[in-house]
Amino acid sequence: MKFRKNITIFSIIAFLAILLIIWFWIIGSTQNDMRSEHPLDIAENSIPMTDMPFCAVMVPGLKFKIDTGADISSLSDEDAEKLKQMGYEVKTSYKPITGRDGYGKYIFSPKRYTVTLPMGGYKVSKDSLGNCRYTYSGHPANKILNVDDAPPADQVSSLGLDFLRKYKLEFDFNEKAIKFHDTIPADYQHVSDLLCNVSIKDKFWSAKRLYIILSINQRPQIYQMDTGLQRTAIKMPEEEIKRAKHILRDDSIFTMRHSYSAKVDDKAWVEFGNRCGTKAVYYYDNQEDSYQMNPLNMFEQDLVIDIEGQAIYFRPYQK
């Protein structure tokens, strides 16, 4: 009887081990064949961005949320139809894809799309006030081939970490644009290192989730770097209000899913890599990570996020 019991336990363990191997094979198999048609550092590679949420208008009519808080990339039915109308094939394959999408939902889809993603082709000019204006040339400057996308739960197209980690992401503050690079652009200086996979649960997803150490009012803490975090530069849970050293004001946070009441310290002392100064910190609770930051809401200067190199860079002056 004891022998049979041991055999049963061993069989269960072996079965679970096989499932775990299959799991890691499934979640590690996105964007394996992705590549650009032309070198990335070419003219007309600036892609205009909208804010709240930050989205890249890859070509007119095709907008993707730039979301380092999402594990996987996704393609809405509407944008899939737009790609077809532009003459691009949308291939459907029944190979599972799983992770957190650009809407903050965990999905497990039995199918995925593989598409060609046109990008760029804009000419940038400035008006009399110095504001950038984008004029589309009529043709994309480049194309990203073999992009794997999940069907999103809430029909939001997004570029998640599985896509973004392939590139050095330059965010041009004055142009309000994003540029994808293979190498770090010139004139940028290293500001801070990034962390990846700081907890056991992070290792169960396909992408390396990004984190950074910030010190708020002389107390360091690990924060998830999430460019999908709207309006807020730094988010902390309500239980940390005791760390505030100034009178807090009331505010509301509106995300793509819900709205939340928040307390705000407009003059918190923040240390970020080799930089420091006062920034607004928002205290509120939701279903996402308790400690988050969005560098695109935090700084008014050009920056580069290098996911694979685990570092963030600033341009020390504006162009």
Side-chain angles (χ1 to χ4, degrees):
M1 180 66 71
K2 184 176 180 181
F3 176 76
R4 289 182 178 179
K5 183 178 180 180
N6 290 338
I7 290 293
T8 301
I9 293 174
F10 177 79
S11 300
I12 293 174
I13 294 174
F15 177 72
L16 292 176
I18 292 172
L19 285 181
L20 191 61
I21 292 172
I22 295 174
W23 171 267
F24 277 105
W25 175 79
I26 288 173
I27 67 173
S29 59
T30 59
Q31 318 302 9
N32 290 332
D33 300 317
M34 192 176 78
R35 60 184 177 86
S36 61
E37 185 176 59
H38 305 295
L40 290 171
D41 297 313
I42 59 177
E44 301 179 4
N45 68 339
S46 291
I47 300 171
M49 290 186 68
T50 65
D51 56 8
M52 287 195 296
F54 290 102
C55 294
V57 185
M58 307 300 283
V59 294
L62 195 64
K63 184 169 65 174
F64 283 76
K65 183 184 179 188
I66 303 297
D67 196 348
T68 60
D71 303 305
I72 55 177
S73 301
S74 55
L75 180 70
S76 69
D77 294 339
E78 179 182 358
D79 287 333
E81 188 59 35
K82 288 179 182 177
L83 282 172
K84 292 177 183 177
Q85 293 173 2
M86 294 175 186
Y88 299 103
E89 183 181 5
V90 178
K91 300 178 182 177
T92 301
S93 59
Y94 287 89
K95 187 175 181 181
I97 185 170
T98 186
R100 184 164 58 178
D101 69 3
Y103 213 78
K105 289 189 175 181
Y106 291 93
I107 63 173
F108 183 94
S109 173
K111 69 176 182 180
R112 67 180 63 188
Y113 303 127
T114 302
V115 302
T116 293
L117 192 60
M119 60 187 290
Y122 295 93
K123 296 184 181 297
V124 185
S125 60
K126 291 187 177 181
D127 61 19
S128 59
L129 298 177
N131 298 315
C132 289
R133 295 287 183 263
Y134 287 87
T135 304
Y136 188 57
S137 64
H139 302 281
N142 210 338
K143 300 171 185 176
I144 305 297
L145 311 177
N146 304 318
V147 180
D148 291 327
D149 291 300
D154 290 276
Q155 296 302 308
V156 175
S157 294
S158 62
L159 299 178
L161 280 171
D162 63 340
F163 180 100
L164 300 174
R165 67 184 174 87
K166 301 283 187 176
Y167 306 108
K168 319 302 180 186
L169 310 173
E170 181 183 11
F171 296 93
D172 191 306
F173 179 77
N174 283 337
E175 290 188 5
K176 293 182 171 55
I178 182 173
K179 302 173 186 178
F180 298 91
H181 299 279
D182 289 321
T183 58
I184 302 296
D187 302 328
Y188 278 89
Q189 296 179 354
H190 178 272
V191 172
S192 179
D193 292 328
L194 301 177
L195 307 174
C196 290
N197 295 347
V198 301
S199 66
I200 294 177
K201 67 177 183 179
D202 291 334
K203 300 182 184 300
F204 285 87
W205 302 107
S206 56
K208 297 178 179 179
R209 293 188 177 176
L210 285 177
Y211 298 86
I212 190 167
I213 297 176
L214 299 182
S215 179
I216 311 296
N217 295 326
Q218 289 79 49
R219 290 188 60 182
Q221 176 71 42
I222 295 176
Y223 290 76
Q224 184 196 22
M225 180 179 288
D226 184 0
T227 56
L229 186 64
Q230 296 186 49
R231 188 181 168 196
T232 310
I234 302 171
K235 173 214 167 192
M236 299 173 68
E238 287 186 3
E239 67 181 21
E240 293 284 11
I241 286 178
K242 60 182 180 290
R243 291 169 65 168
K245 296 185 177 181
H246 302 92
I247 297 175
L248 304 181
R249 63 177 174 87
D250 294 323
D251 204 339
S252 296
I253 295 297
F254 296 89
T255 71
M256 297 181 70
R257 298 176 62 180
H258 302 289
S259 61
Y260 305 92
S261 298
K263 297 286 187 180
V264 186
D265 181 354
D266 288 308
K267 297 181 179 179
W269 183 256
V270 179
E271 296 172 56
F272 175 94
N274 57 22
R275 306 296 175 91
C276 60
T278 56
K279 295 291 179 182
V281 172
Y282 284 70
Y283 297 90
Y284 65 96
D285 295 321
N286 62 3
Q287 290 76 35
E288 299 184 18
D289 289 56
S290 297
Y291 298 87
Q292 292 180 301
M293 65 85 67
N294 185 349
L296 305 186
N297 288 331
M298 193 170 177
F299 303 104
E300 295 183 351
Q301 66 182 104
D302 302 343
L303 61 90
V304 170
I305 299 175
D306 181 5
I307 297 175
E308 285 297 295
Q310 298 184 27
I312 188 167
Y313 300 79
F314 283 173
R315 193 195 302 274
Y317 57 89
Q318 294 296 342
K319 294 183 296 180

